[in-house]
Amino acid sequence: MSEKVTLSDALSNVDVLDELSIPDQQPCIEAQTINIDYQANFDTNFEDRNAFVTGMAKYIEEATVHANLNDLLVAGNTHAVMLYTWRCCSRAIPQPKSNEQPNRVEIYEKTVEVLGPEVEKLLAFMYFQKTASEMFCGEVRRLCHQEKRKDFVSEAYLLTLGKFINMFAVLDELKNMKSSVKNDYSTYRRAAQFLKVMSDSQKLQESQNLSMFLATQNKIRDDLKRNLESIPGCDELLGDVVNICLQMFENKMFLSPGEKHMLVKVMGFGLYLIDGEQCNINRLDQKKKIRLEKIDRIFKVTTTFKETPRTDMENKDLVDLALRGLQLLSQWTSVVTELCSWKLLHPTDPHQNKECPAEAEEYERATRYNYSSEEKSGLIEVIAMIKGLQVLMARMESVFSDAIRRHLYAETQDFVQLALRDPLRKAIKNKKDMIRVIIMSVRETCADWMRGTEPADDPALKGKKDPENGFELKVPRRNVGPSSTQLYMVRTMLESLIADKSGGKRTLRKDIDERALAAIDQFHKGSFFWSYLLNFTDSLQQCCDLSQLWYREFYLEMTMGRRIQFPIDMSMPWILTDHILRTRDPSMTECVLYPLDLYNDAAHYSLTKFRKQFLYDEIEAEVNLCFDQFVHKLSEHIFGYYKSLAGNILLDRRFRQECMALGTTLPWPPAARYESLMRQRHVQLLGRSIDLSRLIGQRINADMYKSLDLALARFEAADITSIVELEHLINVNRLAHQLMQEHLGSLDPFDNMFREANHNVLAPYGRITLHVFWELNFDFLPTYCYNAATNRFVKGRELQFGQNVQRDKPPQMMPAYVWGSKALNTSYHAIMSQFNGFVGPPHFKSIVRLLGYQGIAVVMEELLKIVKTLIQGNILQFARTLMNAMPKQCKLPRYDYGSIGVLGYYRAQLTDIVQYPDAKTELFHNFREMGNTILFCLMAEQAMSQEETCDLLHAAPFQNIIPRPHIKEGERQEVKQKKLEAKYAALQIVPNIEKLGSSEQSFIAKEGDLLTRERLCCGLSIFDMILTRIRGFLDDPIWKGPAPQNGVMHVDECLEFHRLWSALQFVYCIPVGQNEFTVEQMFGEGLHWAGCTMIVLLDQTRKFEALDYCYHILRVQKVDNKDGVHKGISLQKMVERIRRFQVLNGQIFAVLNKYLKASSSEVESSSVEHVRCFQPPVHPNNAQARSGIR
Amino acid sequence: MSSGKQALQRQTQQDWENRADVEVITSSIKKIADFLNSFDMSCRFKLAELNEKLTGLERSIEYLEAKVSKGGTLN
């Protein structure tokens, strides 16, 4: 890049970035996500102190000490981290079991090798605490010196001493706590002694010291206390430290929760250090040096959880807003951490919490069982508040920092250049040199004069009054805040002016007037937070750091190696996440990513503060486990929710109302807010970006498939009647899919899923088709009885042909996979059971919809094969046998014989048939099967036509088919029709696509339109085709008999099928005895349908109607109206039956003829009956004569 | 007023100026970082959408291939 870019160009390029629109369309429900974290840190730790030549030498010197102390504090922190994160090594190291063990030496060598570096750290720690302690005592001694004591010690300095005290306390507690440190060291020592590594006496002494240091409890604090006690007057200094902490705590002069806790610890430990033989804190209290009662109150407040009232004071000023935001965050964070610490300190037990098992371990009692449901909800809410506000503040960060820099600059310069003029003037006038020097020094340290130098003509510099019209002084404005050392210098010097205590010496306060004092004091107080505001990014992060909710090193230590890490059920982030998932509280659903963000905090802490790889690895492992669980549970809930929503939407309304009337409310699922979770495409977790939407989509896809598979399996495990249930189940699934697809783009199309579950992708016939056919073949055709009155098939239970049908049991699954919930499962079971006892129009509609044209075609084709085997197999066999048993001739006896006589005649003629054993069982059963098949086809066709009509009506408005409008008087049909057509022109597909689409699209539209119209005008009928095909099966000569001798027709001869059917009709018209079953009961009307269809297809209808035996009996009986019993047959009852069957036969013939005629009229396009003309019959006598004549 | 003092005051002013310049640079870098972050988010969202569409298409192709190849083993 040789091209030069000027700074202003570069800056304007940066400004242009704001104008680029880079929208992120996912709802923001997660914590702050940053991939690039930029923090500019201008804290120099007083490195630039020497530049402040104009400052007071004393404070520059103090700054030097300060810097050293700060370095020590940093070092102390690393040692604290080392101790806190110490994991016991010695437990993992094998111990030699006996002195004879051969690899003993090797074990010891390895032990020393492994533990060596760790022991180095411990040694460094021991020496550090010694140096730090000496340094601290040295400082205290210096400050407690008689002369020095009179001088003023700055607040910042006292605070640093306080931090030191805090450091000692922390280190000591950690050392006491960590027994594994001692164990590890003793293991090392044993090995080292055995190997004689520490040969020289110095090393031995060092080792001895270290083990004493580690073994002695409270070693650090005791040593410190002993050393301090030898310093005279140290109690007063420590008292000052405690007081400054108290004052800062009371005035909320802290920002991060860590600092707040530091103040408390310093107060506690400071008092401990003061309290000794020479000095009693109660005595100091009496001398008003320390105010114990106030401190007592703090200890009570901080260690117990208290509701923090939310003030609604809203500052318009951005800086105030930023500070307030930070303080709020800090407050909430400390509430959360204090609550958690309190809970850790007060673990529950089986007595307090019934759910806590007796064998629950320590950490479990402190976390898992230690929170009530409300507490968890509250905790989640606060965490969500913290994380949510953090996101908002971070978004505003550049605005805030800009405002902060400008504001702080203005404040500083206004104060230094304007507000300090007055006290300066007074000091010069009154010759208060000390004050003058300090004020001048403050001004020199940070004044940024308009013209580069102090205006020499300022009357204030000479101690004179301003002129009448005032002295004009313009203060510049810049976008930069004071530097860290600058701020320190200014604040410390100002503090020395207003300090009301300065050893025994006269304070400077008295020489400054009230107004100036107040101004200085206000500036000093206000500027306390400036260093935090200047490091806005860092402060924000510290205020929101909730990583402590994960860390549990103490509890791990307490398990004495029984646990390497705790399971996720005891881990706070997961407990909270799981709580949200478990309670399914809609208001908390969207917060579910916040508890997971605690892992981010913990990981960030382990990487930046602890700098321990193993902690990060443990967090990562836990996150891997949790996240899988989280996604699993979440998608399960989402699926269940939408499924039950769909189930509820589709649930019959009247059923719901009736349940309500009976006192059972079927609850609607409460509206859950999964939408925003389902639209999360980049969730940040441990630096990974996770497409949550895709993960949920994958699982829901699998669940959906499972659910459809279950629906099919349930169908396969039940009889044909459950087809209605199957259709409803699929509809519920379809609706659930539709509801979810709105938010989850990654779901597969429903039809694809359905076909896959139905095994209908690779194979031409799906599971539904196969099972429908299977059921038809093995259950429906052989066992169901049709009844035209109800238009239903009902299972015949009287007579069983063949074995009972065996079916697989359906798999048991969770309610979510069936109808959606337990209540829905019960409701739908009740509704669906109404369809179980019969097969009727609803079933046929379902079959038609589910099978479609293709499936129906397959089923019908197969059914035709069944009919064929029946007609050409069993039925033919029977027909042959029975034809032989038929009388050769059977006339229609004359009315003169009377109805009883006619009955007797037929009874005698048909004795063989009546007594034929298989007729009433096997044969009728075969006819029933055939009849049921025909009826099935008929009803399927009816259902299909309804569907098609529905389709066509739906399509009509788009095809410019408008129903004829109603016409009032004076209106013209055509005009009104035209108007309507114009009104709905926008709906018409073909012309619109022609106008707007490509030629290809318009072609497709036209083809589609044509297809729809064609279906309507053709009036194709499947049933007609079925009948024609069946007619083709009736090719055996036995059905029609030989050609009639008289050349016209058989009259009395029993050679045609209709005669056989008449005989059978006679058989089944005979009334049955009390405990016998009628044919209607046993076979239903399928029997009649089979017979009548065959008669119609053989064109024997008329002959049958004219010559039938039973009809003849009926006709004769109508005339003579007789009753009587012939061979146990009651005539009246018989006639009754005949009448009924005649009506039925008539209906069947009518239906069949309708279909057949419809098609024949199509083909021949004439409805005129064909009339064959025959010669008039010749009487036999005449025939003889004729032949004679010939 | 001594010239040494004036020089010092000028130096102080120079320091303020320099630090203001540094602030301009830092805040610009911050802006760039912010921009990159939101750019990252936006891109991730869009890429995820694209990924979803591609996966959907892939699955559709798989489905259609399976459908088309039915009975293919017989040929």
Side-chain angles (χ1 to χ4, degrees), chain A residues 285-300:
Chain A
D285 186 32
Q286 283 158 11
K287 287 196 322 199
K288 305 271 178 227
K289 289 266 163 86
I290 313 173
R291 281 170 299 179
L292 275 184
E293 80 281 9
K294 277 191 176 180
I295 298 177
D296 278 348
R297 210 165 57 228
I298 290 163
F299 283 118
K300 269 162 204 151

Side-chain angles (χ1 to χ4, degrees), chain A residues 11 22-23 25 35-36 38 397 440 444 446 448-449 452 454 478 481 486 681 689 745 748 755 762, chain B residues 5 9 13 16-17 19 23 26 28 30-31 37-38 40-42 44-45 48 52 59 63 66 70:
Chain A
L11 292 178
I22 32 171
Q25 281 152 2
N35 286 312
I36 304 172
Y38 174 73
E397 197 191 314
M440 284 305 280
E444 295 298 322
C446 64
D448 183 10
W449 300 105
E454 196 174 12
R478 281 188 207 275
Q486 207 169 26
R681 295 196 181 276
S689 174
D748 286 344
R755 273 175 170 266
L762 287 165
Chain B
K5 197 172 172 188
Q9 284 172 352
Q13 189 191 34
W16 279 105
E17 250 167 47
R19 282 192 297 111
E23 284 295 353
T26 7
S28 294
K30 180 76 193 164
K31 251 188 194 166
N37 276 328
S38 52
D40 173 64
M41 290 300 140
S42 175
R44 277 187 201 281
F45 186 84
E52 183 181 283
R59 289 176 71 91
Y63 173 79
K70 72 179 164 197

Side-chain angles (χ1 to χ4, degrees), chain A residues 1066-1125:
Chain A
F1066 183 81
V1067 171
Y1068 65 67
C1069 281
I1070 297 171
V1072 293
Q1074 213 155 31
N1075 295 322
E1076 290 176 80
F1077 297 115
T1078 60
V1079 279
E1080 303 95 284
Q1081 273 178 305
M1082 286 199 295
F1083 306 108
E1085 290 166 19
L1087 173 67
H1088 312 284
W1089 271 87
C1092 291
T1093 309
M1094 283 177 74
I1095 289 169
V1096 168
L1097 293 178
L1098 291 165
D1099 279 332
Q1100 297 170 350
T1101 327
R1102 299 264 160 96
K1103 284 186 238 176
F1104 173 75
E1105 282 180 332
L1107 304 173
D1108 183 61
Y1109 310 135
C1110 295
Y1111 289 3
H1112 191 64
I1113 297 172
L1114 177 66
R1115 280 193 293 267
V1116 176
Q1117 202 269 347
K1118 253 187 196 160
V1119 174
D1120 62 18
N1121 233 341
K1122 277 193 181 157
D1123 190 12
V1125 178

Side-chain angles (χ1 to χ4, degrees), chain A residues 349-419:
Chain A
D349 53 50
H351 302 293
Q352 289 171 39
N353 185 355
K354 292 277 177 295
E355 277 165 38
C356 179
E359 67 276 10
E361 56 184 286
E362 188 77 7
Y363 190 60
E364 214 172 359
R365 290 198 285 117
T367 55
R368 188 181 182 180
Y369 299 110
N370 209 9
Y371 293 84
S372 71
S373 181
E374 290 79 24
E375 282 170 336
K376 281 186 224 169
S377 303
L379 200 53
I380 289 163
E381 205 175 314
V382 179
I383 290 175
M385 274 157 61
I386 294 171
K387 300 281 176 192
L389 184 55
Q390 186 186 13
V391 172
L392 294 178
M393 302 250 316
R395 256 191 222 162
M396 299 268 298
E397 197 191 314
S398 48
V399 181
F400 278 142
S401 341
D402 190 72
I404 288 167
R405 286 193 302 265
R406 287 176 194 279
H407 176 71
L408 297 197
Y409 179 85
E411 281 271 295
T412 323
Q413 295 305 330
D414 283 352
F415 178 74
V416 168
Q417 297 188 27
L418 300 178

Side-chain angles (χ1 to χ4, degrees), chain A residues 995-1053:
Chain A
K995 206 161 42 177
L996 305 166
S998 65
S999 60
E1000 211 172 319
Q1001 287 168 328
S1002 103
F1003 178 72
I1004 295 171
K1006 271 184 200 159
E1007 292 282 293
D1009 187 58
L1010 192 67
L1011 188 69
T1012 318
R1013 277 176 202 273
E1014 282 292 304
R1015 228 173 18 171
L1016 182 66
C1017 51
C1018 249
L1020 299 168
S1021 159
I1022 300 177
F1023 189 59
D1024 171 29
M1025 189 51 97
I1026 298 274
L1027 291 177
T1028 317
R1029 293 276 296 273
I1030 296 176
R1031 196 200 298 260
F1033 304 147
L1034 296 165
D1035 51 0
D1036 197 278
I1038 195 165
W1039 307 120
K1040 296 200 168 174
Q1045 278 184 342
N1046 59 12
V1048 182
M1049 64 181 274
H1050 301 288
V1051 182
D1052 296 336
E1053 299 89 344

